[in-house]
């Protein structure tokens, strides 16, 4: 396996042009911390953005950062912490779940459109993306978008690159919004609710105008694994509030009073709250050093628990819920059962199921991404042809 680590866009363009001329496939990666994710890519060469690194521009007053795609996420987060800001979309670290090494890169975050617990109120990674630079499959260097929110030139093209998983081009630079980081946070824990009751409780909490930034339900099978068992015994429905200390305290008190009518309530202060939501974000219960299939399922918030209940009548399934129940993290005890899962999703009104972890044999039998309707698939194929006419960039990864 030949690996390429270009240090400049021009070098990357030359590598891609050469491979396009020969019709030779390239596996496009960042830090490769999601190794194995997606459908298999048949390639003898790997093109990494890892050495296209460094923060290009960051002025906290502008609330915008520009960084080269290979910049480690840890470096980005450290700079933002110094500036009192954050990535609102709260990107997941896949290494514990996928058992991978290396450093996640900011380009990889946007290429895979990674979003965490705050996504249901703050948007996905692509919603923070203002501009990109990338090298397409013809070896052309392309710039889209800009550093100022009012400059919408090419903004749709920038968003198109988010979630394209390296199939349209090698990201070389990204520009994105970085809002203020909340001064503090706390989490209200409601104990003893089953999945359906928790769905109703989360919906009721979101209707209270208390600016809740995290809403998850941890059934009995997983609740014990968070915070080293420090959560109250039993199921845990968790609701996060962030902001200035006085505001968080007052809103937390109101939320605790409202939830006290539904179950036993405990308030987690800042340190435990931050740790809990990191563990929810990084799927700690299923980072179990196994290859048991793990799905990331996005559905309407009120149907997640119905999906899990239906599946449990036929297969061994463990699950917990984020995004007010709209994101279901699901571990299968045997095979992926992708056809059955997607059939139930369709029956319950639609959604998306993405296979994150599985054995190579299971991956070969199961499409990693939700199959697209025919008209969307045709449009996606036309876009791919325009960006990568020779079809050399991560061929087959998404379809």
């Amino acid at each position: 396996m030949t690996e390429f680590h270009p240090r400049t866009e021009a070098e990357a363009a030359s590598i891609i042009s050469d491979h396009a001329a020969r019709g030779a496939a390239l596996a496009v990666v960042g830090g490769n911390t999601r190794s194995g994710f997606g459908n298999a890519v048949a390639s003898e060469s790997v093109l990494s953005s890892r050495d296209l690194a460094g923060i290009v521009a960051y002025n906290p007053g502008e609330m915008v950062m520009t960084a080269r795609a290979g910049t480690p996420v840890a470096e980005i987060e450290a700079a933002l912490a110094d500036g009192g800001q954050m990535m609102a979309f709260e990107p997941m670290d896949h290494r514990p779940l996928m058992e991978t090494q290396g450093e996640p890169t900011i380009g990889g975050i946007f290429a895979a459109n990674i979003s965490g617990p705050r996504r249901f109120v703050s948007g996905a990674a692509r919603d923070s993306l203002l501009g990109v630079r990338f090298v397409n499959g013809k070896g052309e260097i392309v710039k889209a978008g800009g550093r100022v929110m009012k400059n919408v030139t090419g903004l749709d093209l920038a968003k198109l690159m988010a979630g394209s998983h390296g199939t349209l081009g090698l990201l070389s630079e990204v520009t994105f919004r970085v809002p203020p980081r909340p001064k503090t946070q706390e989490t209200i824990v409601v104990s003893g609710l089953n999945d359906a009751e928790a769905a109703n409780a989360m919906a009721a909490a979101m209707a209270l105008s208390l600016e809740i930034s995290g809403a998850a339900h941890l059934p009995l099978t997983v609740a014990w694994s968070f915070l080293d068992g420090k959560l109250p015994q039993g199921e845990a429905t968790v609701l996060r509030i962030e902001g200035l200390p006085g505001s968080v305290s007052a809103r937390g008190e109101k939320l605790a009073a409202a939830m006290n009518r539904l179950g036993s309530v405990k308030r987690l202060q800042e340190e435990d709250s931050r740790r809990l939501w990191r563990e929810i974000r990084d799927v700690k219960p299923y980072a179990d050093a196994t290859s048991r299939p793990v799905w990331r399922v996005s559905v309407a918030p009120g149907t997640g628990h119905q999906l899990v209940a239906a599946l449990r009548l036929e297969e061994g399934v463990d699950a917990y819920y984020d995004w007010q129940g709209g994101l279901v993290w699901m571990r299968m005890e045997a095979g992926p059962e992708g056809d059955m899962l997607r059939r139930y999703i369709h029956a319950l009104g639609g959604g998306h199921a993405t296979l994150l972890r599985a054995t190579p044999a299971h991956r070969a039998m199961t499409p990693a991404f939700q199959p697209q309707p025919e008209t969307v698939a045709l449009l996606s194929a036309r876009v791919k042809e325009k960006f990568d006419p020779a079809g050399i960039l991560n061929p087959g990864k998404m379809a």
Side-chain angles (χ1 to χ4, degrees), residues 250-262:
R251 286 183 287 137
E253 186 172 338
K254 290 180 181 179
L255 181 58
M259 293 294 104
N260 195 47
R261 295 191 290 269
L262 304 177

Side-chain angles (χ1 to χ4, degrees), residues 29-294:
V29 302
N32 211 23
T33 59
R34 282 173 291 280
S35 176
F37 172 61
N39 303 317
V41 175
S43 170
E44 296 299 321
S45 301
V46 175
L47 177 62
S48 171
S49 64
R50 189 176 63 198
D51 289 348
L52 293 166
I55 295 173
V56 176
Y58 175 46
N59 181 341
E62 296 178 351
M63 294 192 293
V64 174
M65 175 180 280
T66 299
R68 295 186 178 90
T71 310
V73 172
E75 182 179 336
I76 299 288
E77 290 179 331
L80 292 176
D82 288 343
Q85 294 173 331
M86 66 175 182
M87 291 182 281
F89 48 91
E90 211 168 354
M92 173 185 178
D93 183 347
H94 285 78
R95 289 175 293 182
L97 178 68
M98 309 290 286
E99 287 199 287
T100 52
Q101 306 298 318
E103 286 291 329
T105 63
I106 191 62
I109 293 296
F110 283 107
N113 194 32
I114 303 302
S115 308
R118 204 181 285 108
R119 185 251 185 270
F120 78 120
V121 291
S122 296
R126 67 161 51 92
D127 297 306
S128 291
L129 191 61
L130 299 177
V132 295
R133 292 177 65 96
F134 64 97
V135 183
N136 67 17
K138 294 181 280 189
E140 299 169 336
I141 298 171
V142 181
K143 178 183 178 182
R147 296 190 68 245
V148 182
M149 191 61 177
K150 292 180 181 178
N151 178 6
V152 296
T153 304
L155 188 61
D156 288 344
L157 183 57
K159 292 187 184 300
L160 184 64
M161 292 299 294
S164 63
H165 293 270
T167 60
L168 302 180
L170 174 76
L171 279 173
S172 56
E173 185 178 284
V174 291
T175 298
F176 52 100
R177 291 183 289 123
V178 287
R181 174 176 172 159
K183 296 295 184 183
T184 190
Q185 64 171 261
E186 73 169 56
T187 294
I188 304 300
V189 182
V190 188
S191 301
L193 306 182
N194 63 34
D195 290 5
E197 292 168 340
N200 291 332
M202 288 188 288
M206 295 303 298
L208 293 176
S209 300
L210 293 176
E211 298 181 30
I212 293 168
S213 66
H217 177 61
L218 316 174
L220 188 62
T221 54
V222 300
W224 62 270
S225 67
F226 291 97
L227 296 182
D228 295 328
K230 289 171 59 177
L231 287 175
Q233 190 172 7
E235 303 90 343
T237 306
V238 293
L239 303 161
R240 179 176 61 185
I241 291 178
E242 299 176 297
L244 296 172
S247 172
V248 167
S249 178
R251 286 183 287 137
E253 186 172 338
K254 290 180 181 179
L255 181 58
M259 293 294 104
N260 195 47
R261 295 191 290 269
L262 304 177
S264 175
V265 170
K266 179 179 179 179
R267 297 172 70 173
L268 298 181
Q269 298 308 306
E270 182 173 12
E271 183 177 350
D272 283 343
S273 178
R274 289 193 187 281
R275 180 182 169 192
L276 173 64
W277 288 98
R278 281 196 304 270
E279 294 178 353
I280 291 172
R281 179 197 73 181
D282 295 343
V283 199
K284 184 177 186 291
Y286 305 147
D288 52 11
T290 76
S291 295
R292 282 182 287 182
V294 173

